[in-house]
Amino acid sequence: MRYFEKMPSVEPASLGSFWRGLSQRRSWGMVALAAVLLLIIVPPALAQDGGATGVDAIFAPIVDVMALLLFFPIGGEAGFPFIVLWLFVAALFFTVRMGFINLRGFRHAVNVVQGKYDDPHDEGEVSHFQALATAVSGTVGLGNIAGVAIAIQLGGPGAMVWLTLAGFCGMVTKFVECSLAVKYRRIDNDGTVLGGPMYYLTRGLAPKGMRPLGQGLAVLFCILCLGGSLGGANMFQSNQAYAAIASLVPGLPAWLFGLILASLAGFVIIGGIRRIGAVAEKLVPAMALIYAIACIFVIVANIGQVPAAISTIITEAFAPTAAVGGIVGVMVQGIRRSSFSNEAGVGSAPIAHAAARTDEHIREGIVALLEPFIDTIVICNMTAIAIVLTGVYQDTGAELSGVGMTAAAFESVIGWFPIVLSVAVCLFAFSTIISWSYYGIQAWAYLFGERTTMVFKVIYVVCTFLGTLTSLGLIIDFSDLMLLGMAFPNLIGCYILSNEIAGDLKDYWQRLTTGDMQTYSPVAVSSSDES
């Protein structure tokens, strides 16, 4: 059943049409382009070499206000930051509402990814596996390396129990938002797919009499997505990739590395989602395998201490040391890092999954629930066990924060293991850059029209280059807060439309269990993809 074809032809009017109208006028298009360039490119360039400029004076108040809104503590100063609670409560709600589909649908998700249900004649641009790989490549990154170390350093080893629990529930948040993305996507005559929160916010809420709300939320989401993609998901990644390579190749000019990275990113990005998906499906397994082997090596080298390490993690989850702020402090660190790592509820992954070649939106949602499992439950926990086993988290020195702590855990086994980590950081950074380019492109297309997306691609590639040269400072804080802010409009829509998804899931599961769904040969699908 092609659910997206049954949707009423509801195009974003009013506010949405206003934004699209701007793209049809060259003067307004130039104003929009100039504004983005001034906001994203010029301030970091002025801040090069960490020199004092007026940028701090402009952005500091904005960052302070956004941080106050997003991280306002619920339940006193030692309570949960609002954004963390917003994401975690949604994950709990969806987990119960969807009948723990993260458990009962896991095996089916693996079968779908293997190509068992891939009909080569379905509409879409990428396979289930390519959509999953693209989305995973956008989440697997520094959060799995540095974020886990920070969680353990600030919350103790017990933070990993809460990080895992949050990741488990986040699997269902991904299921809901990605199912909606396929259900309400648009497919143009040339086969190009347009999808993501901005489309299910408008096309999904309009029939419920909430058209103005949906339009406003969609525009807000796109603005936040553009800021998040250009900053934290692009410039910060290229900056960290250069830092990792510079430690291996001393004297490597930043401009040269930036030029190479931007050229590679541009080659992939300009090719569109098909090329992004093709690269991601090869890059993600490779980078995950490299990092997993490194973690396993550390674990095997300390195999005798594994039971004690696991015992420490579980014990300190419920009886933490006073230094980490008690059980609430441990929970906050674990849940917060989980949310940052897998981005469940942020609304980024639905943009990638909307392009999947399928006529069953629930099926793609079930595929999406594998993301937090891979990103948080598997990779994050492998990092955590390696850190706890080696005991490096007990060194409170500033030099062992973030990536440094993970590198120290690797180095304690074999001296050259940090080289593996540096390679992993570069791969993670590059995969995040290319995946988030697609998210930004879709947000730009919604606001300014599909014909102007080349403008954003050029801006994005330029930002990739500048990220290796500049001292980002408050710009990164600003863009990261915009990225987190995407969760507000996205989850409002998910709450409102959750009953639809629950009903669709019931119908899908009944057809699956009764054997009414046709299966296909993975080999045949693969050959079709190559053609």
Side-chain angles (χ1 to χ4, degrees), residues 140-475:
V140 174
L142 294 176
N144 304 85
I145 300 174
V148 170
I150 292 171
I152 293 176
Q153 188 174 46
L154 298 179
M160 295 312 301
V161 171
W162 300 106
L163 182 145
T164 303
L165 177 61
F168 173 75
C169 295
M171 293 170 68
V172 189
T173 303
K174 280 285 179 82
F175 162 77
V176 173
E177 58 185 354
C178 293
S179 294
L180 287 170
V182 176
K183 181 173 185 177
Y184 288 103
R185 67 185 178 180
R186 280 178 48 201
I187 299 182
D188 289 344
N189 294 331
D190 63 355
T192 300
V193 175
L194 301 173
M198 51 280 202
Y199 290 95
Y200 58 72
L201 286 170
T202 50
R203 295 165 71 99
L205 269 57
K208 298 180 181 298
M210 292 180 274
R211 185 172 186 150
L213 174 63
Q215 292 168 346
L217 292 175
V219 171
L220 174 61
F221 175 86
C222 288
I223 293 173
L224 295 170
C225 183
L226 286 176
S229 65
L230 287 170
N234 182 10
M235 297 179 74
F236 175 70
Q237 300 295 328
S238 61
N239 185 281
Q240 294 300 297
Y242 172 69
I245 287 296
S247 65
L248 298 179
V249 187
L252 176 67
W255 66 266
L256 178 60
F257 178 80
L259 187 63
I260 296 172
L261 183 64
S263 299
L264 292 173
F267 173 76
V268 177
I269 292 167
I270 293 174
I273 184 59
R274 287 185 174 90
R275 188 175 294 168
I276 292 174
V279 172
E281 74 171 342
K282 297 177 177 64
L283 185 60
V284 170
M287 70 184 189
L289 182 61
I290 291 173
Y291 188 68
I293 290 175
C295 290
I296 291 173
F297 201 98
V298 173
I299 294 171
V300 171
N302 297 272
I303 194 67
Q305 287 77 42
V306 169
I310 295 176
S311 176
T312 298
I313 291 174
I314 296 175
T315 300
E316 293 204 16
F318 302 97
T321 60
V324 298
I327 189 169
V328 173
V330 178
M331 291 175 65
V332 167
Q333 288 303 322
I335 296 172
R336 179 175 176 175
R337 287 300 147 191
S338 175
S339 301
F340 291 174
S341 177
N342 59 50
E343 297 174 11
V346 169
S348 53
I351 301 176
H353 283 278
R357 191 161 45 245
T358 184
D359 63 354
E360 295 277 5
H361 61 282
I362 293 297
R363 180 177 296 158
E364 188 59 29
I366 290 177
V367 169
L369 62 79
L370 292 175
E371 290 172 36
F373 176 81
I374 296 170
D375 175 274
T376 305
I377 297 178
V378 175
I379 298 180
C380 284
N381 273 292
M382 293 182 73
T383 302
I385 293 175
I387 290 174
V388 175
L389 273 176
T390 55
V392 296
Y393 72 96
Q394 295 173 332
D395 188 335
T396 58
E399 72 279 0
L400 289 183
S401 62
V403 175
M405 183 181 292
T406 308
F410 286 0
E411 193 172 12
S412 67
V413 176
I414 294 182
W416 51 263
F417 256 36
I419 297 176
V420 177
L421 185 63
S422 296
V423 173
V425 167
C426 287
L427 291 176
F428 288 171
F430 183 71
S431 68
T432 300
I433 288 171
I434 63 173
S435 297
W436 268 90
S437 71
Y438 181 65
Y439 305 157
I441 289 168
Q442 290 289 63
W444 180 280
Y446 182 86
L447 293 175
F448 303 112
E450 294 84 33
R451 295 182 180 180
T452 67
T453 54
M454 185 57 68
V455 174
F456 178 80
K457 291 178 181 179
V458 171
I459 295 173
Y460 195 89
V461 173
V462 170
C463 285
T464 302
F465 173 75
L466 287 177
T468 63
L469 302 176
T470 59
S471 175
L472 306 180
L474 285 172
I475 303 299

Side-chain angles (χ1 to χ4, degrees), residues 9 17 35 37 53 55 66 71 78 172 182 200 246 267 294 317 398 475 486:
S9 181
S17 296
L37 286 173
T53 68
V55 175
M66 292 183 68
F71 291 99
V172 189
V182 176
Y200 58 72
F267 173 76
I475 303 299
M486 292 162 57

